[in-house]
Structure formats: C-alpha cells, structure tokens
Amino acid sequence: MEVHTNIPLKNYVTMHLGGPARFMTDVSTPEELKQACDNAITRGVALFILGGGSNTIVHDEGFNGLVIRNRILGFEVLEKTPANTTVRIGAGEDWDKVVQRTVEMNLTGIEAMSGIPGTAGAAPVQNIGAYGQELADTFVELQAYDIEQQTMVTLNANDCGFSYRDSIFRNESQGRYAIVSVTLRLYSEAPKPPFYAAVQEYFDTHGITLYTPQVIRDAVLAIRADKLPDPKQRPNTGSFFKNAIIEQWQLDELRKTWPSMPAYDLGEKRFKVPTGWLIEQTGLKGTLHHGIRIHDKNALVLINESASSYQDLSSAREVVVGAVRDTFRITIEQEPLEL
Ligand code: EPU
C-alpha cells in the first residue's frame, strides 16, 4: 500500500477548493482498508474516508491526517427471485455506473437516482435521493469496518438511522465506520406512476406511456443535464443546502406573507419547504459572491466559478444563509460534509 504525502485535496473534491492532506492512500480490498485504518489508529493519526468527493468540502488548512480513498470494487448478485434481485456493490464503485447496470438488468428501485455523482459507499452516508426515490427504499444492509472496535460489521437500515439526507454516518457515528459494500434489493416489476412531477412532465412532452427503468433513467438524466451543472466543468457539490423542514405553525405564519410558498406535508404537522424557492425569493439566484455563483437554474446549487479558498465559500454561504434567515426566519442547513 503506497502512502503519498502532502496531496492537494482540491483535486479530489468536486468543489475544487481547500488545502492538502498530510497523507493519502488508495485501498482496493477490505483487507487493505482494515490495514490502513489500523495503522493510522496505532500511530494516532486522524482518518478520513473519501469517496468521489462530490459531497465533501475541504478547509483551507487541509487535513492533518490520513485520507483513505475507497476503491473497493464489486457487483455481485446475491439472490434472485421472480420479484426481486438482491445485489451487493463494492463501496468504491461509481454510483451512476451501478445504476446503469441495474437498469440494463431491467430492475426498478434506483433508476430515478441516475446521474448522482459519487461512489456507492457514499450513498448511505447522506441517504441520497432524487426524483421520488431514496437509497433507504431499496437498502438491505451494508458491510463496514468498525474503526473503533477493529472489526467488520453488518448494519441494517434500522442501524443506519436513515432520514431525509441523513444517517448515523453524518451524526453520532461520524468517523467510526469505513463502508466496504452496500446491499440493495431491487424489483422486477416495471416502475409505476405516480412519478415525480418533473419526470411526468418529461413523459408528457415526449409522449412516453410505456414505463421502464431505462425511460426513467433517460428522463432523469435529461432533467439533470438541464438543471444541474456538470461538476467536471463547473465545480459544485449538487444541492449545497438541504430543503428546510418546518412546523405547521411556522408555515401558517409564513403563508400570511408568502401565500404561494410551496410545502410538502411530511405528516405529524411537519412540512418540507424547497430551499431553492426560499433562496430565489431573496433575489440571490444567479448572483456571484466571493467567486461563488448561486446557480441561475437552481438556487440550491453553489458553483465555484472563481473562488480560491474555503474562506470564499464560507463568506458566500453566509450571504445566502443570512438572506434566508432575514427574510423567512428559517436557518437552512448545508448538505455536504466538511473535512
Ligand atoms: N425551486 C425554486 N427555485 C429554485 C429551485 C427550486 O422555486 O431555484 C422550487 C421548484 O420549482 C420546485 C421545488 O423548488 O417546486 C423543488 O425543486 P426540485 O424538484 O428541482 O428539487 P430540489 O428540492 O431543488 C431535491 C434534491 C436534489 C434532487 C431533486 C430532485 C435536496 C437537497 N435536493 O432538489 O438532490 O435531485 O430534489 O428530486 O433534497 C442533491 O442532493 O445534491 C440533489 C441534487
């Protein structure tokens, strides 16, 4: 296992910002992963496991520890029944290639999550979701190395504590587990309406009435290409903010001033309000702050146009968070994790 020193992390994260890693290594087997983790722990070196870098923000001082790039590959069918196919996916696999593969097998379950950048192992960390599907819907279990206990463990959906763009891996267990593989149960049954509004609209305008995983994938890829900037050309992390979750009384109060405020009922008197809409109302959509552009097609996305430091990003974030707070008295939360 080769360990490199003083590696600029900005080349490994899609926001293209931030300082160096003191050490960096690639692992391509669970055994190598275990070894790298154990070595770091024994030497008292801090650890960070990096996937595709599409949901990670790096600080200007970089990371004074070991960054492990998870390159563990694998795609294995564990079980096949007439109704379901269960697959185990190596954490280092490119997520979209996995989606493509399951779509080619004509399986339903993750096709609406086409085009999400990053690795399969990162998918459970923020319980990725798009166009009406989220990882938790098909998730069976994952294998991970428990860095604290120095042992391989299997965690089911309950153990992972999934909720909207959240899991234990971003909270109480942050830094504890290195994900090795993810097991999903997909369906043979064709996808059925109702579809996410934007997808249905695409079907209507294209006269599509026969629904297969492939047509959903194609629709989602087309919608995404129009709304979300390609991180390879315009550095970004997808949605930079989570949608806001507010209480009924807050919604009632806000709708007195903003009668058209969109909100999705989550039950138990809680509502999800699209943060893109909130930002748009502040007038910031499309504007540039400290080299960071608030995307003109989706205000939830921040694009690094000419920022040169984390400090620039942080200042731009403050402009957006502050404007939403001043206008709506809602404090919006960041989606990508910080290293
Ligand atoms: N909206 C605005 N202005 C904007 C952006 C959105 O008014 O600038 C409104 C839209 O008109 C719509 C609502 O907000 O009524 C929701 O917009 P959209 O369907 O585009 O989805 P989103 O809430 O902006 C979420 C996910 C995306 C996912 C899409 C599609 C989060 C934080 N983001 O975005 O996920 O692709 O739904 O399902 O939940 C990501 O996590 O990185 C990501 C891209």
Side-chain angles (χ1 to χ4, degrees):
M1 199 182 324
E2 229 178 316
V3 178
H4 304 276
T5 51
N6 204 25
I7 302 294
L9 280 169
K10 68 179 204 172
N11 298 336
Y12 296 89
V13 293
T14 62
M15 202 49 140
H16 208 66
L17 283 178
R22 183 164 170 213
F23 304 113
M24 186 186 260
T25 192
D26 283 1
V27 297
S28 47
T29 64
E31 193 44 46
E32 277 180 13
L33 174 69
K34 175 178 166 14
Q35 241 180 50
C37 292
D38 291 354
N39 278 342
I41 298 288
T42 312
R43 289 165 204 211
V45 172
L47 260 180
F48 186 83
I49 318 285
L50 188 65
S54 55
N55 207 46
T56 305
I57 304 288
V58 182
H59 285 232
D60 291 331
E61 58 271 31
F63 183 63
N64 185 20
L66 172 69
V67 171
I68 298 179
R69 285 210 307 158
N70 189 332
R71 318 305 293 273
I72 301 172
L73 302 181
F75 184 101
E76 208 183 328
V77 173
L78 296 185
E79 197 188 11
K80 201 167 162 43
T81 68
N84 297 108
T85 299
T86 306
V87 292
R88 183 162 58 205
I89 303 146
E93 289 283 348
D94 176 74
W95 171 258
D96 189 55
K97 295 231 170 73
V98 171
V99 177
Q100 187 181 6
R101 206 156 159 182
T102 65
V103 165
E104 281 163 5
M105 292 162 79
N106 210 21
L107 295 170
T108 304
I110 55 174
E111 67 282 4
M113 291 185 281
S114 288
I116 297 182
T119 58
V125 176
Q126 57 154 338
N127 183 21
I128 59 168
Y131 303 100
Q133 290 177 345
E134 66 173 13
L135 188 82
D137 302 338
T138 51
F139 182 89
V140 178
E141 60 185 32
L142 59 77
Q143 283 181 307
Y145 186 59
D146 182 336
I147 298 165
E148 270 174 25
Q149 302 293 319
Q150 300 193 302
T151 177
M152 284 291 173
V153 294
T154 300
L155 305 178
N156 65 26
N158 207 27
D159 300 328
C160 295
F162 293 128
S163 60
Y164 167 63
R165 291 296 196 281
D166 215 1
S167 74
I168 59 161
F169 308 109
R170 291 173 59 105
N171 293 290
E172 66 269 26
S173 299
Q174 195 170 347
R176 174 162 174 188
Y177 298 105
I179 298 171
V180 170
S181 70
V182 177
T183 302
L184 304 179
R185 183 168 298 129
L186 305 166
Y187 307 95
S188 312
E189 202 186 1
K192 278 200 303 270
F195 298 113
Y196 196 86
V199 174
Q200 187 58 54
E201 212 178 288
Y202 181 92
F203 289 160
D204 293 344
T205 47
H206 291 78
I208 294 165
T209 50
L210 186 66
Y211 308 123
T212 64
Q214 187 67 56
V215 300
I216 295 191
R217 174 170 169 80
D218 294 343
V220 166
L221 289 176
I223 297 164
R224 289 184 71 98
D226 184 46
K227 275 201 170 174
L228 294 164
D230 179 354
K232 288 192 195 93
Q233 280 149 28
R234 307 181 73 194
N236 75 88
T237 58
S239 300
F240 190 82
F241 298 103
K242 295 188 190 189
N243 284 322
I245 295 178
I246 62 170
E247 310 276 332
Q248 173 96 56
W249 66 267
Q250 284 174 293
L251 181 64
D252 295 344
E253 200 53 41
L254 285 163
R255 279 215 170 129
K256 288 182 190 158
T257 317
W258 308 89
S260 63
M261 177 185 261
Y264 308 101
D265 195 343
L266 299 175
E268 294 172 3
K269 300 199 161 153
R270 298 170 85 227
F271 292 83
K272 194 193 271 180
V273 175
T275 297
W277 185 90
L278 298 174
I279 298 171
E280 188 167 343
Q281 310 316 304
T282 68
L284 287 173
K285 192 171 179 174
T287 59
L288 184 72
H289 303 268
H290 308 273
I292 300 288
R293 173 82 61 193
I294 296 148
H295 189 31
D296 60 355
K297 288 190 176 159
N298 185 348
L300 208 50
V301 179
L302 301 190
I303 301 168
N304 175 11
E305 235 168 62
S306 55
S308 54
S309 63
Y310 171 84
Q311 194 47 52
D312 286 340
L313 174 64
S314 171
S315 305
R317 173 180 57 201
E318 222 13 75
V319 171
V320 181
V321 173
V324 172
R325 197 190 291 126
D326 291 348
T327 312
F328 298 101
R329 273 169 289 144
I330 293 175
T331 302
I332 53 174
E333 273 179 47
Q334 180 174 317
E335 187 180 272
L337 286 171
E338 302 209 354
L339 167 57

